[in-house]
Amino acid sequence: MKTWGIAAATWCALFAALHVYWALGGSAGLAESAGAGLAAQRPAWFVLGGLWGVAALLLVGAWFCLDLTRRWRRLLTLLGGAALLLRGLAVEIALLTTDLPQQVGERQTRWSLWLWNPWFVLGGVLVLAAYWSTRSRLNGTGGGSASVPVLNDSSR
């Protein structure tokens, strides 16, 4: 169903917009996401790769989610969705079961537990749903008209 692709692309575009905001000098939420040190210093590698680079990857991801007609796009979308989901879950588990909260601080831990990690999990679920809905549609197993054989005059 194209709805999952649109939802996943919207998630990617929203997250890309946030990274562009940060790359252009915006600060709201950056310290809680990347850490106070990176947010304050903004080294060139972080701005170029971590903000502009991630924004570009997210925009490519949005395009892929809307057009999963090529096998290589589907594969990259599957890998991207799995990476988002695993990132969100792994950091959530690490924050709940290790001494990581003492290393990153209370504020960043709270924001990660309640906003950033669930946001990554949501993105992963949406991207994987876009992948699976397209996969089943292309294979003819997704229900709807794609899985119903069409009878024409030559098949009667």
Side-chain angles (χ1 to χ4, degrees):
M1 182 183 303
K2 197 77 164 160
T3 304
W4 290 115
I6 292 169
T10 301
W11 181 93
C12 289
L14 289 171
F15 209 24
L18 181 59
H19 281 79
V20 168
Y21 162 76
W22 286 334
L24 292 173
S27 60
L30 183 59
E32 294 80 13
S33 174
L38 279 176
Q41 296 171 6
R42 293 182 186 253
W45 66 264
F46 173 67
V47 174
L48 292 175
L51 300 177
W52 287 115
V54 170
L57 282 174
L58 286 163
L59 292 175
V60 169
W63 169 46
F64 283 13
C65 289
L66 292 173
D67 184 13
L68 288 167
T69 57
R70 301 249 163 107
R71 179 173 287 170
W72 63 272
R73 285 186 200 149
R74 287 193 306 273
L75 176 61
L76 290 176
T77 301
L78 173 63
L79 293 174
L84 288 168
L85 182 61
L86 290 174
R87 186 268 182 217
L89 293 174
V91 174
E92 193 82 0
I93 291 168
L95 286 170
L96 293 171
T97 61
T98 69
D99 67 341
L100 188 59
Q102 287 78 33
Q103 296 173 28
V104 299
E106 180 184 338
R107 184 174 173 90
Q108 189 176 0
T109 298
R110 188 174 54 250
W111 276 80
S112 291
L113 288 171
W114 293 101
L115 176 64
W116 298 124
N117 298 330
W119 178 254
F120 275 90
V121 169
L122 173 64
V125 167
L126 291 173
V127 171
L128 290 173
Y131 166 82
W132 285 108
S133 68
T134 301
R135 183 175 183 268
S136 62
R137 188 173 68 240
L138 293 174
N139 291 340
T141 60
S145 61
S147 62
V148 178
V150 176
L151 297 176
N152 58 32
D153 289 335
S154 63
S155 63
R156 286 188 194 165

